[in-house]
Amino acid sequence: MNKLKMHSTNLSQDNIERIRDLFPGCVTEAKAENGEVKLAVDFDQLRQELVDSIVEGPQERYQLNWPGKREALHLANAPIAKTLRPMSEESVEFNTTKNVFIQGDNLEALKLLQEPYLGRIKLIYVDPPYNTGNDFVYSDTFTSSKNAELRRSGQISEEGIALVANTNANGRFHSDWLSMIFPRLKLAWNLMSDDGVLVVSIDENEHANLVSIGTEIFGRDAYVGEIALKNSSKNDQSYISMQHEYIVFFVKNKAANPGNWTERKEGLEKIYSAFAGFKKEYGDDWAAINAAAKAWYKTFPASDPVYGSKHYDWMDANGVYFGSDISGPNDGQYVYDVKHPVTDLPCKQPARGWVFPPDSMKLRISEGRVHFGPDHTTVPKLKTYLKDTETQSLTSIRFVDGRAASKRLATLFGEKVFTNPKDELLLRDIYKAVGISKGDIVLDMFSGSGSALQAVWELNASIGATAQFIGIQVAEDLNESLKTAKGAAKQITNNAIKLLGKSGKPANVAEICKQRLRLAGDKIRERTNSLDVGFRSLRIDTTNMADVYYSPDSLEKGQIKLLVDNIKPDRTPEDLLFQVLLDWGVDLTLPIVKKSIQEKAVFFVDGNVLAACFDAQGGVDEELVKQLAKHQPLRVVFRDAGFKDSAVKINVEQIFKLLSPVTEVKCI
């Protein structure tokens, strides 16, 4: 009976298998350092296959390079022996929710998600630590040490003396940031669906590098634009005071996602309400309404969305409109007289002639869709109604009050507990614009306070969708953050530590995020009870399996007894189940039912997707196996130490072949 591997996917081997599919003669077998036979690439043969398209050595090519790139790529591909352990007591609606919150390092989480979510994520949101010239919480082991990189780049001498000024702005910090983000985006690409979207919040320090690294991973055509987010009015920097951030967009496949991204214009309700007031005051005096509307629009600053629709300043019985150009695309296309409805004289014609032929123009005039001036001396215009143009393409400039999201979060918690949270309502609108809808999955790999996760619920509540989320957040220690925090940030961190302490929760960022989700879920339930506002909380931990599971051949004779139980003593059957789900690539949110069969606990995942019995007392006999086979699960897994004897273990596969031939049988 085959054993589950019980570690994350080895992406290097997966890549080799893809090469083998394309060039079977270029892949062979070779012995690894541990003596095991594995697939290997014959690069000499591959060069011959691609002889006209190879760039190597010092040959110039377009690329982004930095110290640590090779190690970052290796880190992205290397497997890890980790698992996700369920934390049902920290979850909300654990048994029914489709949302997942993972506590732990996001690089490890992304590796663990490769099997169950490969090609399934519609949108990945990334709000990475901005490069401020400081070390990162996400400091992966391969990044170069500070002094080593400063010496390598010539910023300090061997004696540690600074050779250049302003070292924080130099190479090491860019290299560290790139080495941090590269493997994460590399793994994110695997998880995205063919029509998937990557959305990244970033400031000016790494904006250019982000675009370069994104196009390298996703492809030259993947970058589709960005939003410049005006969210500050600070004036405290030399040269140019940066008052905006960027939200950068990449798509995995333009053919699958042609970019029909639209959004409803902001401020429409204010406009409709204002014109209703003008109509009430002036009746059918359209000229008076036009004058009032123009004066009203002037009261708004250019940053207000209402101001962007100021050209909609006319009204008739059919609604609010603006007069658009009625001239033809070509000179003299349609030339004829159009009489003014009051003076009965021919109106002034546009320079290029009319856009419509005579019959079409007569129809539009009869329907009241042509705007005439006070007399025939002005060129008529075509009425374009606001109700027919309420949507627009996703625009590249946004004005967002950076304090609004902080105020809403402070109201939710009762006080400020997080600095500069992202705006969940802006993210909700982005999700809607790019087409997140029923059943789509949004993944946020740097969840922070949970803005991007709450935004999924806000989207569902606003349009009746059933989108799901996967949030990942490392348990960043707030007490450590407090040591370097200053001013308002120090007070806010103190507030968070005290608030979490009162609730008995550890003082870390992951706990802030989970608590925000609980509170936000309660608020949404006040509006509607039909939404899934729960989350299944999971925590990254070392593998459930003892070292002997991965290398039984290395045991000495005196250690043979370790083979009796190859699972760590502190792990529960639920822990084992979730590692099996990961290994077998099964959705982590499927419903789980625990049943008793012959007094043995058996887990059934989503009916018959998977059945698991982790009995370790040697109680799994042929009768129990036959009972499980009657359920005809697609997959079944047993604990190696759970079989009554070796005869039962040998017969298991035969029993399933007879009673349930569709079942795949494995053990741990």
Side-chain angles (χ1 to χ4, degrees):
M1 187 187 308
N2 292 330
K3 285 190 175 184
L4 290 164
K5 63 182 186 296
M6 303 298 274
H7 60 69
S8 71
T9 302
N10 187 330
L11 295 178
S12 291
Q13 288 295 300
D14 282 358
N15 291 335
I16 292 174
E17 289 180 7
R18 292 190 185 100
I19 294 174
R20 182 175 61 179
D21 291 340
L22 295 173
F23 306 103
C26 297
V27 175
T28 184
E29 292 183 349
K31 278 192 175 182
E33 292 181 1
N34 61 5
E36 292 183 1
V37 175
K38 65 175 185 178
L39 295 178
V41 176
D42 184 339
F43 274 103
D44 288 335
Q45 184 67 29
L46 187 59
R47 279 191 183 90
Q48 293 179 41
E49 295 279 1
L50 305 173
V51 66
D52 295 330
S53 305
I54 293 176
V55 179
E56 58 184 347
Q59 185 177 348
E60 293 179 348
R61 82 288 306 263
Y62 182 82
Q63 64 175 344
L64 175 66
N65 217 341
W66 68 91
K69 182 177 182 179
R70 183 177 301 175
E71 293 88 342
L73 178 58
H74 172 74
L75 188 72
N77 291 331
I80 56 170
K82 294 279 182 100
T83 188
L84 294 175
R85 300 181 67 182
M87 314 298 289
S88 56
E89 69 283 357
E90 298 178 7
S91 306
V92 177
E93 300 170 0
F94 183 93
N95 292 325
T96 58
T97 185
K98 291 292 185 181
N99 303 306
V100 175
F101 180 85
I102 299 173
Q103 179 174 310
D105 183 271
N106 52 20
L107 183 63
E108 295 176 341
L110 291 169
K111 291 187 176 203
L112 293 172
L113 295 175
Q114 292 295 304
E115 292 281 358
Y117 292 96
L118 184 70
R120 293 185 55 201
I121 309 297
K122 179 66 176 289
L123 184 144
I124 295 181
Y125 177 66
V126 186
D127 180 23
Y130 290 178
N131 190 353
T132 60
N134 298 315
D135 292 319
F136 304 111
V137 173
Y138 297 86
S139 182
D140 300 314
T141 56
F142 60 82
T143 53
S144 51
S145 68
K146 179 177 180 180
N147 286 341
E149 173 57 24
L150 292 178
R151 286 192 183 95
R152 187 207 62 76
S153 58
Q155 296 176 45
I156 65 172
S157 68
E158 290 298 323
E159 293 76 27
I161 299 172
L163 302 178
V164 294
N166 192 22
T167 55
N168 280 9
N170 282 296
R172 175 198 169 234
F173 292 99
H174 290 292
S175 296
D176 277 1
W177 191 88
L178 287 166
S179 291
M180 179 275 298
I181 201 67
F182 180 75
R184 290 165 171 84
L185 294 185
K186 190 82 174 172
L187 293 167
W189 187 90
N190 296 335
L191 296 175
M192 286 172 60
S193 60
D194 209 33
D195 62 345
V197 184
L198 176 71
V199 182
V200 187
S201 290
I202 201 71
D203 69 357
E204 73 280 1
N205 289 306
E206 297 295 347
H207 171 262
N209 282 335
L210 171 69
V211 174
S212 294
I213 204 170
T215 53
E216 178 173 326
I217 294 171
F218 286 76
R220 296 295 172 202
D221 294 333
Y223 167 70
V224 294
E226 61 198 36
I227 292 173
L229 186 65
K230 171 73 166 66
N231 62 351
S232 170
S233 297
K234 65 182 180 181
N235 190 24
D236 57 356
Q237 289 177 284
S238 301
Y239 301 109
I240 297 175
S241 183
M242 304 304 291
Q243 299 182 1
H244 69 279
E245 296 178 353
Y246 301 95
I247 303 176
V248 185
F249 293 78
F250 302 88
V251 295
K252 188 171 184 178
N253 185 336
K254 279 188 173 179
N257 189 334
N260 301 320
W261 298 352
T262 59
E263 60 182 345
R264 190 170 187 265
K265 295 174 182 175
E266 295 184 75
L268 295 180
E269 283 71 23
K270 287 183 180 179
I271 295 172
Y272 289 138
S273 177
F275 272 88
F278 303 149
K279 181 73 169 61
K280 186 176 182 180
E281 182 175 357
Y282 299 109
D284 293 340
D285 188 344
W286 309 122
I289 290 176
N290 172 249
K294 286 183 175 180
W296 178 72
Y297 279 121
K298 288 180 180 179
T299 65
F300 292 91
S303 60
D304 195 291
V306 168
Y307 188 82
S309 297
K310 66 181 185 300
H311 50 297
Y312 287 92
D313 53 8
W314 281 96
M315 186 181 193
D316 65 11
N318 290 321
V320 181
Y321 71 87
F322 85 95
S324 59
D325 186 18
I326 202 168
S327 62
N330 304 312
D331 285 344
Q333 182 164 3
Y334 296 110
V335 178
Y336 51 86
D337 287 340
V338 173
K339 290 188 176 181
H340 192 275
V342 176
T343 67
D344 200 33
L345 295 173
C347 292
K348 182 179 180 182
Q349 295 186 21
R352 295 195 304 270
W354 307 106
V355 67
F356 305 115
D359 290 343
S360 295
M361 179 67 84
K362 288 179 182 178
L363 176 63
R364 283 170 172 78
I365 292 173
S366 67
E367 293 174 342
R369 289 189 286 159
V370 176
H371 173 88
F372 289 92
D375 57 40
H376 57 277
T377 60
T378 59
V379 179
K381 294 182 178 181
L382 186 66
K383 293 180 180 180
T384 300
Y385 289 95
L386 184 58
K387 64 184 178 182
D388 298 327
T389 57
E390 289 189 344
T391 60
Q392 62 186 6
S393 296
L394 199 59
T395 52
S396 63
I397 298 176
R398 293 295 179 100
F399 297 87
V400 176
D401 185 349
R403 300 165 296 181
S406 294
K407 289 178 180 177
R408 290 194 297 271
L409 187 60
T411 301
L412 195 63
F413 276 95
E415 56 187 325
K416 287 187 176 181
V417 297
F418 202 87
T419 56
N420 303 317
K422 289 296 182 285
D423 192 305
E424 75 280 7
L425 300 185
L426 172 63
L427 292 172
R428 173 202 64 190
D429 293 342
I430 288 175
Y431 296 166
K432 184 177 179 180
V434 303
I436 300 300
S437 60
K438 294 181 179 179
D440 288 334
I441 303 175
V442 173
L443 185 148
D444 177 12
M445 69 171 77
F446 294 91
S447 289
S449 71
S451 295
L453 307 182
Q454 182 181 339
V456 174
W457 291 346
E458 298 293 344
L459 173 74
N460 290 341
S462 66
I463 66 173
T466 53
Q468 309 161 27
F469 68 66
I470 300 174
I472 309 169
Q473 177 57 45
V474 69
E476 182 181 348
D477 189 345
L478 292 173
N479 289 296
E480 288 298 315
S481 302
L482 189 63
K483 293 177 183 179
T484 56
K486 297 178 181 179
K490 188 170 186 176
Q491 181 58 51
I492 291 171
T493 305
N494 259 320
N495 292 343
I497 292 171
K498 290 178 182 177
L499 186 145
L500 292 171
K502 289 179 182 178
S503 62
K505 303 292 183 183
N508 62 60
V509 176
E511 291 299 335
I512 291 179
C513 187
K514 284 183 280 188
Q515 186 63 10
R516 184 215 184 122
L517 292 175
R518 296 183 190 104
L519 295 172
D522 290 341
K523 288 291 183 182
I524 291 174
R525 285 191 196 91
E526 293 175 4
R527 289 184 267 164
T528 174
N529 273 323
S530 61
L531 296 181
D532 174 8
V533 287
F535 61 93
R536 187 171 276 187
S537 182
L538 309 172
R539 177 168 57 86
I540 297 176
D541 205 337
T542 57
T543 177
N544 297 310
M545 316 309 293
D547 292 342
V548 64
Y549 183 86
Y550 301 103
S551 54
D553 294 340
S554 64
L555 288 179
E556 298 177 1
K557 289 184 178 180
Q559 298 175 304
I560 294 298
K561 61 181 181 180
L562 295 176
L563 286 171
V564 174
D565 196 352
N566 53 18
I567 294 170
K568 293 175 180 175
D570 64 333
R571 303 306 166 96
T572 67
E574 286 79 4
D575 292 332
L576 298 179
L577 177 62
F578 271 84
Q579 188 160 5
V580 167
L581 294 179
L582 288 171
D583 197 288
W584 232 323
V586 177
D587 192 318
L588 299 178
T589 64
L590 292 178
I592 299 168
V593 175
K594 187 177 181 180
K595 296 182 180 180
S596 178
I597 300 178
Q598 291 189 223
E599 299 182 353
K600 301 294 185 293
V602 179
F603 295 96
F604 289 93
V605 179
D606 197 24
N608 69 340
V609 168
L610 183 145
C613 179
F614 299 117
D615 183 84
Q617 306 304 316
V620 176
D621 55 20
E622 289 191 6
E623 185 57 35
L624 176 62
V625 174
K626 290 176 182 178
Q627 289 292 321
L628 285 177
K630 289 180 181 179
H631 289 81
Q632 295 193 320
L634 297 177
R635 309 170 185 86
V636 67
V637 61
F638 299 95
R639 193 164 171 172
D640 206 25
F643 296 106
K644 181 179 179 181
D645 50 44
S646 57
V648 174
K649 182 177 178 180
I650 293 170
N651 290 334
V652 165
E653 288 184 289
Q654 295 304 317
I655 293 172
F656 273 97
K657 282 182 180 179
L658 181 64
L659 300 179
S660 180
V662 299
T663 303
E664 186 178 359
V665 185
K666 290 192 178 182
C667 68
I668 60 172

